[in-house]
Amino acid sequence: MPKSDDVWEVNRERDGQTKPFESNLPKKGAIGQTFAPVAGFGVTLRNFFRPTVTEQYPRVKTPPMPRYHGRHQLNRHPDGLEKCIGCELCAWACPADAIYVEGDSNTADNQVSPGERYGRVYQINYLRCIFCGLCIEACPTRALTMTNEYELAGPTREGLIYEKQDLLAPMGKNMLAAPHPMVPGTTDDNYYRQEVTEPVEEQIEWVREHRSDDPTLPENVKAATAASEGGRD
Amino acid sequence: MTATADKATVAPVDTVTLTIDGTEVTVPKGTMIIRAAEQVGIEIPRFCDHPALKPVGACRQCLVDVAAPDREGNVRAFPKPQPSCAMAATDGMVVNTQDTSEEAERAQKGVMELLLINHPLDCPTCDKGGECPLQNQALSAGNAESRFVDTKRVFEKPLPLSSEILLDRERCILCQRCTRFSKEIAGDAFIDLQNRGAMQQIGTFDEDVLGFDGYGPVGVAAEDESGKAFSSYFSGNTVQICPVGALTSAAYRFRSRPFDLVSSPGVSEHDSSGSAIRVDHRHGTVMRRLADLDPVVNEDWITDKDRFAFKWQNLDDRLTKPLMRNDEGDLVEVPWPDAIAAVAAGLAHATREEDAKGAAILPGGRITLEDAYAYGKFARIVLSTNDVDTRSRIASDEEQSFLGAHVAGTGLGVTFADLEKAPSVLLVGFEAEDEGGVVFLRMFKSVGKQQVFTVAPLVSPGSAKLGATLVPAVPGAEGAALAGLDKDAVKALSEEGAVIIVGERAAGSAGALTEALKLSRKTGARIAWIPRRAGERGAVDAGALPGLLPGGRDAGSAKARAEVAKVWGVDDLPGARGRDAAAILVAAGAKRLDALIVGGVTPSDLTGDALKALENTPFVVSLEVRRSEVSDYADVVLPVAPPTEKSGTYVNWEGRLRGFATAIPTDAIPDHRVLSLIAREMGVDLGTHSLAAIANEIAALGTTEASARPKAPAVKRAAEKASKKKDLVLASWHQLVDEGSLQDGEPYLAGTGRTAVARVSQATADALGVTDGMVTLMGRSRRSLELPVHVTDMVDGVVWVPSKSPGSWVARDLGLEPGDSISVKGGV
């Protein structure tokens, strides 16, 4: 029967240790022991003379490290076709079940990505996402990558479920908005090998015929640029 | 593994004992090594091997090290690894699989590397990804790296074999499961291997080999090198057994991944076989259906209709809220209590008022046993009438007597296994492939061992595949053909285990069922009744026919009525003779009914003028899953649950109960509960609010002895009709894939249906003066049919057209039933 209520003592007795606890740290000298009670202020005083690290967020936004896991982005091929093929491997990899994808068939009238299949529905629920990046590793076409954007707060639950149009990368230079046919004579393999570098005339012509008001058509881009420059004068 | 259908009858067999990976196992003689290994829990990778198909040893993935005793009894190893799926186990054999033999493991890895050389590795795009044996076994039995650096062989992809089945030849590993299925199981070898060596590929076979000219698919299908397209009622099974993603279906293409899907077991609502299916759904939407293994019913296979036709349950016209006429006469959504109250008031007015003319029910033949029971009980104790008939098809009193005397409540009769073992089968008014589906597959297993006779005007492609002997009969005169059956046929049917199958069309021929019973008594052959729709047998058992009460009781017998009244807790049941479906329609059309409750009945399936009947009935209630033509005439429309959203039981043609649970829980309610609610509003406790309550009542009712059953029919067979010179006799049946309302919304499936043609014999064609081109068929009703004529070897004076194929809606457009006379004109 233990005599004392002190559990540590009881344990020590049980384990046959009768010696009280002793630190392994080197013992301080007489001066050290004298100033020990106020030694902590030394840290404070030292920092008076160091540069400040306080970030003035949100007035000043500091860029995170380049490989920071921020909001996702669905990339495009250089001719504007989407890289996502709706394979759902990201959804499969996701440990938080934050991604929802539905695939569909590309057709002659609606070629969204190279090859047979594209992602018709693509949703990421940022209330669930833990930004682990497993989806990025799973993506077989490098369609899904992460940006450095970290400002992901919102007043509604619905608003934090990002749809495909919220996630798609902005149109780059020369890109022609999908859907439009693939570059003639190429397969999806050529796209993956990055052999397609820009939209060709046939694709531009197709878009011109089907959506003449598309803002990514060269003439519409030119007109828009001219208009904005004209406005500046 | 396919379990044996009925273990009790399996005779003791010779066994052999062998050693696999050091474990001794005893198996029946002739068992393949791969099956023996399964019994001791050793899995050997395989692709071409399928328990239901004959061994072929095509993929070589299952190589194992084998040593067997030679003539002197010394165990000697084979010089090279052997395919375990194609090598039978012998006594004393020593097998070392990849688990214990490096040689076997190296061989398997080598085969896998070879199989993957031309495989495109497009798993992210492929529908099979996630449930692919090639993916799984490449991981378990393959090398991590490929040494192949050259360009892969490419094919154009996908190649549509039919509008439904797509072939991706790049992914194919040439295991031949699909071609073997087509040859061995379905009997329509539309696809086969073509070319040799590296260019070897699956392609569609020449359809001329089966005499399928004129039977090509409706929809588009790319032509392969031989220029022909795949058209089979069972083609979906090839997609399911393909061990790679080479065969995919257009309906499920890129729809989802296996990890998205919740799988629920179910029973197909499409035919009276009650095939086991697996319903795969995602977020409350059915994405696909697969065959479930049920060794006693459908084995591994289902028809394409069972597999692909499920969209009808959730089309845009799906009803979810009750509809009622407002003051302007438009149907508007109302809450359930209002709708139920309106129905109760309308029915009370129609049945309980002073000079009320009464109400009748047409439940339709697609309901479950429980729903049928509720309809039958509702008619008797709430509406006080026997006017309830599920047979919205060709029917007769003779059939009702036959069903009452020999089918209703008789439990398990002839089974699929009996059918397979039968030495001879006689088909009367029944097409095994078109109307039976998996019944045909079972019979085809015994082709060559089984003599098949078909009483029909022609040997249909399905019957031809079964090697059937034609007993020529003009529709309507099947009775005479049965009476005059030749000696050989009678002798064949006298053999132990012979079966006579009567289909629902036998009802259309006076005396046919009487003669079939006579023949059964004479030969000892057992009789099986195989209707088309899933709910027919259940409705017969549950008493949803005018002359039948539950358990095979005759509604005309006072004793039977007293038995039922006691269980139902009522004083008595209506004794007046009930009207059958056709008579109900006539009565309604003549304004002799005050109310009509219509279940899942499609007016275009009815020969009688259903629309006029609905129009002339003051109060029409429709219990439907979807808005239909009936809704346009209904005063109140009550939505009921489709099969995936409810639980229940179908009784298949064997008499086997095929219970199924709710796959997708919603707030849709089944017919029996709706009826219970209406009855309660009318002050009657129908007791059909739950499946358990109904099951208890059905059990309490049981079946009855012969004295309370209807008497077996004794109808004089129809004399040969002295037809008008010019007129022909109409022959018709539903093709498996056609425009039935449960196949709506599935264009890919519809594309595999067979094109409609009018078949006549050479002599008839000559008499008409048309041997090709179009003919016009004119019946009783307002419209006519124009179909391409096709000269066929068949009975003279008869024209055959499909019942509801594209451009050939016989009931609606001709208003005729098989056996009626029809005028046919050549040219258009």
Side-chain angles (χ1 to χ4, degrees):
Chain A
M1 276 297 282
K3 287 169 210 153
S4 163
D5 286 346
D6 183 343
V7 288
W8 300 111
E9 200 180 316
V10 172
N11 285 352
R12 277 202 300 277
E13 275 171 19
R14 188 195 59 203
D15 300 343
Q17 299 172 352
T18 47
K19 252 173 44 183
F21 171 76
E22 262 182 48
S23 170
N24 284 333
L25 293 172
K27 280 248 167 66
K28 291 199 163 119
I31 301 171
Q33 282 189 12
T34 314
F35 286 104
V38 292
F41 289 117
V43 177
T44 314
L45 285 168
R46 203 158 58 232
N47 277 299
F48 283 168
F49 307 103
R50 289 193 167 174
T52 52
V53 295
T54 310
E55 288 181 8
Q56 296 302 318
Y57 181 84
R59 269 160 285 160
V60 181
K61 287 175 187 162
T62 320
M65 301 303 276
R67 289 168 72 176
Y68 176 81
H69 284 187
R71 179 181 72 78
H72 299 80
Q73 172 170 290
L74 284 171
N75 298 312
R76 300 175 202 263
H77 288 289
D79 69 347
L81 285 180
E82 290 169 13
K83 285 189 176 178
C84 176
I85 53 167
C87 72
E88 302 190 31
L89 286 184
C90 47
W92 208 337
C94 183
D97 198 9
I99 308 183
Y100 179 83
V101 186
E102 280 180 25
D104 212 335
S105 301
N106 281 319
T107 56
D109 294 339
N110 190 34
Q111 181 88 37
V112 180
S113 70
E116 298 172 80
R117 179 173 181 147
Y118 79 101
R120 185 170 53 81
V121 175
Y122 197 102
Q123 297 175 339
I124 297 183
N125 184 345
Y126 282 106
L127 292 163
R128 279 176 162 267
C129 178
I130 57 170
F131 301 94
C132 64
L134 288 180
C135 45
I136 308 307
E137 286 186 44
C139 185
T141 61
R142 288 226 143 261
L144 192 67
T145 53
M146 278 172 144
T147 64
N148 286 350
E149 190 189 329
Y150 50 82
E151 291 180 307
L152 292 162
T156 61
R157 286 170 188 279
E158 294 77 33
L160 282 164
I161 298 172
Y162 279 48
E163 298 279 352
K164 188 169 147 189
Q165 67 272 18
D166 307 326
L167 294 165
L168 270 173
M171 300 300 292
K173 195 168 169 280
N174 292 340
M175 277 186 188
L176 190 61
H180 58 68
M182 292 160 66
V183 173
T186 59
T187 64
D188 43 351
D189 278 355
N190 300 107
Y191 277 81
Y192 300 145
R193 288 199 217 102
Q194 305 188 350
E195 288 161 9
V196 174
T197 50
E198 59 180 359
V200 295
E201 200 45 51
E202 286 92 334
Q203 293 174 304
I204 297 170
E205 197 49 52
W206 191 92
V207 174
R208 207 169 270 146
E209 196 179 304
H210 289 80
R211 305 189 304 270
S212 58
D213 56 344
D214 193 294
T216 56
L217 276 173
E219 59 266 29
N220 294 346
V221 171
K222 228 174 266 170
T225 322
S228 66
E229 276 170 2
R232 221 174 285 153
D233 287 341
Chain B
M1 286 285 297
T2 308
T4 322
D6 38 358
K7 290 201 170 87
T9 58
V10 173
V13 285
D14 291 345
T15 57
V16 293
T17 302
L18 70 161
T19 312
I20 305 176
D21 287 352
T23 312
E24 243 184 36
V25 56
T26 305
V27 291
K29 208 171 180 178
T31 306
M32 297 298 154
I33 296 172
I34 202 166
R35 294 276 100 70
E38 278 172 1
Q39 293 195 8
V40 287
I42 296 164
E43 198 183 324
I44 301 169
R46 84 288 302 264
F47 295 113
C48 67
D49 172 68
H50 190 284
L53 301 174
K54 288 183 195 136
V56 63
C59 73
R60 318 307 284 184
Q61 186 56 55
C62 63
L63 292 177
V64 290
D65 249 359
V66 180
D70 62 9
R71 282 177 202 160
E72 282 81 45
N74 308 314
V75 176
R76 291 173 56 165
F78 279 72
K80 286 186 176 163
Q82 299 296 314
S84 58
C85 74
M87 185 175 230
T90 58
D91 228 0
M93 197 179 244
V94 178
V95 177
N96 287 305
T97 70
Q98 73 280 4
D99 294 342
T100 51
S101 159
E102 269 183 38
E103 175 81 16
E105 194 187 359
R106 201 167 57 241
Q108 288 180 8
K109 287 198 166 165
V111 171
M112 179 61 78
E113 193 173 3
L114 181 72
L115 291 178
L116 290 177
I117 276 182
N118 273 319
H119 193 79
L121 300 178
D122 59 348
C123 306
T125 320
C126 177
D127 270 336
K128 205 80 178 183
E131 55 182 1
C132 175
L134 183 62
Q135 238 181 1
N136 296 343
Q137 291 176 36
L139 273 174
S140 66
N143 288 319
E145 300 279 331
S146 170
R147 291 172 292 174
F148 185 75
V149 289
D150 297 308
T151 315
K152 294 195 184 222
R153 176 194 59 192
V154 289
F155 286 113
E156 187 204 331
K157 61 203 274 181
L159 178 80
L161 295 180
S162 67
S163 57
E164 183 69 87
I165 309 296
L166 309 173
L167 171 66
D168 187 318
R169 289 165 292 175
E170 291 179 6
R171 295 180 189 144
C172 178
I173 57 165
L174 300 172
C175 72
Q176 302 168 42
R177 272 190 184 183
C178 53
T179 59
R180 283 148 67 212
F181 168 83
S182 299
K183 276 199 204 92
E184 293 171 21
I185 307 291
D188 34 22
F190 282 107
I191 51 175
D192 212 334
L193 284 179
Q194 298 173 339
N195 291 342
R196 284 283 175 271
M199 288 311 287
Q200 193 168 43
Q201 56 179 286
I202 301 290
T204 46
F205 204 77
D206 194 328
E207 64 186 15
D208 287 336
V209 284
L210 283 166
F212 269 73
D213 49 333
Y215 254 121
V218 177
V220 286
E223 293 178 348
D224 77 323
E225 287 174 24
S226 67
K228 302 296 173 199
F230 192 34
S231 165
S232 162
Y233 288 154
F234 307 100
S235 58
N237 292 301
T238 60
V239 175
Q240 190 173 346
I241 60 172
C242 180
V244 297
L247 289 164
T248 52
S249 68
Y252 180 65
R253 192 167 166 78
F254 306 154
R255 288 296 178 277
S256 64
R257 291 283 177 200
F259 67 89
D260 297 327
L261 299 170
V262 179
S263 300
S264 309
V267 175
S268 171
E269 76 274 27
H270 286 294
D271 58 33
S272 63
S273 295
S275 297
I277 53 169
R278 197 180 100 191
V279 182
D280 281 359
H281 47 100
R282 176 186 202 181
H283 292 267
T285 310
V286 179
M287 303 307 289
R288 64 171 176 183
R289 303 209 303 200
L290 299 174
D292 233 351
L293 171 63
D294 192 331
V296 293
V297 179
N298 56 315
E299 300 191 312
D300 292 277
W301 322 115
I302 54 174
T303 64
D304 281 2
K305 191 158 72 162
D306 292 342
R307 184 180 303 269
F308 296 119
F310 54 81
K311 295 258 172 69
W312 71 273
Q313 303 187 16
N314 256 319
L315 290 175
D316 290 343
D317 56 5
R318 168 75 191 272
L319 296 162
T320 50
K321 293 211 175 81
L323 303 175
M324 212 162 86
R325 298 268 165 211
N326 62 9
D327 296 338
E328 284 84 51
D330 299 325
L331 279 178
V332 289
E333 286 187 358
V334 292
W336 270 102
D338 296 6
I340 296 287
V343 173
L347 292 179
H349 181 78
T351 53
R352 295 178 187 173
E353 295 278 307
E354 192 82 349
D355 51 353
K357 290 181 240 166
I361 308 186
L362 295 171
R366 299 169 183 134
I367 48 179
T368 60
L369 172 71
E370 291 84 358
D371 292 339
Y373 178 80
Y375 277 115
K377 192 173 175 186
F378 190 87
R380 269 74 185 227
I381 71 174
V382 180
L383 304 180
S384 305
T385 175
N386 278 318
D387 291 350
V388 53
D389 194 356
T390 49
R391 299 172 298 170
S392 48
R393 54 171 171 82
I394 193 164
S396 66
D397 279 351
E398 182 190 4
E399 185 198 25
Q400 183 168 276
S401 317
F402 165 78
L403 295 175
H406 292 277
V407 176
T410 52
L412 203 57
V414 176
T415 63
F416 275 104
D418 294 341
L419 199 55
E420 185 185 330
K421 280 184 294 195
S424 55
V425 178
L426 175 70
L427 308 175
V428 185
F430 180 70
E431 283 301 326
E433 193 186 27
D434 279 321
E435 296 172 305
V438 291
V439 174
F440 167 81
L441 294 186
R442 258 318 164 94
M443 290 177 69
F444 190 75
K445 275 178 92 178
S446 302
V447 74
K449 288 176 264 177
Q450 187 174 62
Q451 266 189 292
V452 180
F453 302 92
T454 174
V455 182
L458 72 155
V459 179
S460 66
S463 299
K465 280 183 263 178
L466 294 173
T469 312
L470 183 69
V471 179
V474 175
E478 279 90 345
L482 283 173
L485 209 58
D486 66 26
K487 266 188 210 144
D488 292 344
V490 173
K491 200 178 147 208
L493 289 169
S494 305
E495 281 180 56
E496 175 80 32
V499 174
I500 299 172
I501 298 178
V502 289
E504 60 181 35
R505 281 182 292 114
S509 168
L513 288 163
T514 310
E515 290 296 335
L517 285 172
K518 253 191 225 167
L519 185 65
S520 162
R521 275 194 297 274
K522 186 165 131 196
T523 59
R526 298 167 75 195
I527 281 211
W529 177 65
I530 308 190
R532 250 173 10 94
R533 294 193 176 116
E536 298 270 1
R537 175 68 196 262
V540 169
D541 284 356
L545 262 59
L548 284 179
L549 294 171
R553 293 176 177 84
D554 183 4
S557 144
K559 184 177 161 226
R561 287 203 300 276
E563 280 176 9
V564 176
K566 201 176 143 204
V567 176
W568 285 354
V570 291
D571 296 334
D572 59 344
L573 295 178
R577 195 180 144 80
R579 286 177 275 220
D580 67 10
I584 289 172
L585 287 179
V586 170
K591 304 190 178 183
R592 291 202 303 273
L593 276 173
D594 270 344
L596 198 54
I597 300 178
V598 187
V601 176
T602 314
S604 56
D605 287 345
L606 296 165
T607 319
D609 197 343
L611 300 183
K612 187 180 152 208
L614 292 168
E615 201 175 353
N616 286 353
T617 310
F619 188 67
V620 177
V621 183
S622 166
L623 276 74
E624 252 292 15
V625 174
R626 298 161 57 194
R627 249 188 116 111
S628 69
E629 271 183 296
V630 180
S631 319
D632 299 340
Y633 295 91
D635 295 274
V636 185
V637 182
L638 300 172
V640 291
T644 44
E645 294 173 28
K646 70 178 180 188
S647 310
T649 311
Y650 288 122
V651 185
N652 78 352
W653 63 263
E654 302 167 288
R656 199 185 294 277
L657 295 181
R658 306 290 289 159
F660 59 94
T662 308
I664 302 172
T666 62
D667 54 3
I669 56 178
D671 303 44
H672 63 84
R673 274 191 62 198
V674 175
L675 292 173
S676 171
L677 290 171
I678 300 171
R680 189 187 300 169
E681 188 75 19
M682 294 173 76
V684 181
D685 180 12
L686 198 61
T688 62
H689 52 279
S690 75
L691 294 181
I694 297 173
N696 284 342
E697 272 191 28
I698 291 179
L701 281 162
T703 54
T704 189
E705 70 239 40
S707 67
R709 278 179 175 278
K711 289 197 179 51
V715 175
K716 244 182 96 188
R717 58 176 188 265
E720 289 280 341
K721 271 182 199 157
S723 62
K724 281 181 277 169
K725 216 174 181 189
K726 266 192 188 161
D727 281 1
L728 303 179
V729 178
L730 175 70
S732 178
W733 59 75
H734 289 263
Q735 296 189 311
L736 187 94
V737 176
D738 62 5
E739 295 192 326
S741 58
L742 300 198
Q743 296 175 55
D744 283 351
E746 195 44 77
Y748 305 114
L749 173 68
T752 66
R754 293 168 184 171
T755 42
V757 289
R759 293 178 177 273
V760 289
S761 68
Q762 186 65 56
T764 315
D766 291 344
L768 288 171
V770 274
T771 44
D772 54 1
M774 306 291 275
V775 284
T776 308
L777 291 85
M778 272 170 346
R780 216 175 278 145
S781 101
R782 38 278 128 182
R783 283 171 263 204
S784 62
L785 292 181
E786 279 169 21
L787 291 170
V789 71
H790 201 273
V791 175
T792 310
D793 187 13
M794 62 186 281
V795 175
D796 293 336
V798 176
V799 57
W800 178 90
V801 290
S803 291
K804 214 179 181 184
S805 291
S808 176
W809 286 29
V810 169
R812 186 193 65 184
D813 293 346
L814 298 179
L816 296 178
E817 284 176 345
D820 290 341
S821 60
I822 180 170
S823 77
V824 179
K825 274 192 291 190
V828 178

